[in-house]
Structures are given as C-alpha cells and as structure tokens.
Amino acid sequence: MSVEVVYQWSEDHPGAALRELDDVRILKDVVTTDGDTIAAGTEGTIVAIWRGGEAYEVEFPEPMGALATITADDMVFAGRPVP
C-alpha cells in the first residue's frame, strides 16, 4: 500500500480541520511522550487525529520519532504533502 492510498483513505475525519500527514507548526512548547521538550515554532507531521480534531498526534523530526499529543488550538497548518 502506498502512502498516497493511505493518505486518501484517512482524509475523512468529520469535524477535523486538519488531516493526517498535514504539516503543522506548534504555537507553544510541548512535551513528547518520551519527556523531551519541543520548542514553539517547530514543524511536525500529523500522524493521528483524536476525537474528530480536538487533538492530534504529531511526529517531529528531532529527536528522531518524537511524538506529542497537541490540541488544535496549539498549532497551525503549515502545509500538505504534494501527491
């Protein structure tokens, strides 16, 4: 299964303004599941959507594989993958 197929399948999240694989920029410092702090202004990629868009699981490039759950109010859209 290609990434494009997964992306098209995951687009339908009623109520979610953002979609999986969208790039976002965080507006305040967040703490990852591993306890690392990610600074405000850092960009990451949405990998999961919780409760119709109330919160998002975001993966950051540094440290490698860093994940944080972030509310919709604490981030802004930064881009979408080009098919």
Side-chain angles (χ1 to χ4, degrees):
M1 179 185 306
S2 73
V3 171
E4 182 178 346
V5 171
V6 172
Y7 181 65
Q8 290 174 354
W9 173 79
S10 64
E11 285 183 26
D12 188 20
H13 288 281
L18 300 167
R19 303 185 297 196
E20 288 179 7
L21 303 182
D22 280 353
D23 291 328
V24 294
R25 185 175 55 257
I26 58 172
L27 301 175
K28 67 177 193 175
D29 293 356
V30 297
V31 177
T32 68
T33 54
D34 291 332
D36 297 311
T37 300
I38 305 293
T42 302
E43 290 191 9
T45 302
I46 294 174
V47 294
I49 300 172
W50 308 123
R51 294 188 178 178
E54 288 181 28
Y56 298 83
E57 192 76 18
V58 179
E59 182 176 22
F60 297 95
E62 295 292 329
M64 187 173 184
L67 293 171
T69 302
I70 304 171
T71 63
D73 294 336
D74 293 336
M75 62 185 176
V76 294
F77 178 76
R80 187 161 284 145
V82 179

